[in-house]
Amino acid sequence: MLELSADDDVFSFKHNGNVYTLPAITIEDVEAVAEMVTLPHGEMTKQTKEYLLNLADEGTATVIRTVGLKSYFKIFRAWAGMELGESQPSDES
């Protein structure tokens, strides 16, 4: 189970009872993510995951690599400040 939270300096999530962190999203991150979400879904997933892995410490990176796709997107969307009702790009774009 994931529990997500964020403040001005850090984004954190709890997975299997342990807390993991990423730096809070910045303007530069927003600009990078805005470009990534226009890509076909598979490429967007790959690039966003690589982006978060580059921000993560070793323990957080391990969790990002091993959680399922649904949990990964919960982490990514919460970190990016995306509302849960927003749609994902389709593979047809």
Side-chain angles (χ1 to χ4, degrees):
M1 183 169 116
L2 289 173
E3 293 177 35
L4 310 166
S5 65
D7 62 32
D8 289 341
D9 299 323
V10 68
F11 167 79
S12 63
F13 63 97
K14 190 181 239 184
H15 178 68
N16 291 336
N18 297 308
V19 176
Y20 301 93
T21 62
L22 290 165
I25 194 166
T26 66
I27 294 299
E28 292 82 14
D29 297 327
V30 170
E31 292 169 352
V33 167
E35 289 182 26
M36 287 180 237
V37 297
T38 64
L39 299 170
H41 196 308
E43 185 63 24
M44 179 210 50
T45 301
K46 179 182 174 186
Q47 287 194 22
T48 59
K49 191 175 241 186
E50 287 175 10
Y51 195 86
L52 286 188
L53 290 171
N54 286 329
L55 295 174
D57 62 33
E58 189 175 325
T60 302
T62 298
V63 171
I64 290 170
R65 282 187 197 99
T66 60
V67 295
L69 192 59
K70 186 175 182 179
S71 291
Y72 165 71
F73 272 112
K74 284 181 183 179
I75 293 166
F76 171 74
R77 291 171 68 84
W79 171 80
M82 297 173 148
E83 294 297 321
L84 293 178
E86 292 180 28
S87 65
Q88 291 289 323
S90 72
D91 286 327
E92 299 173 7
S93 54

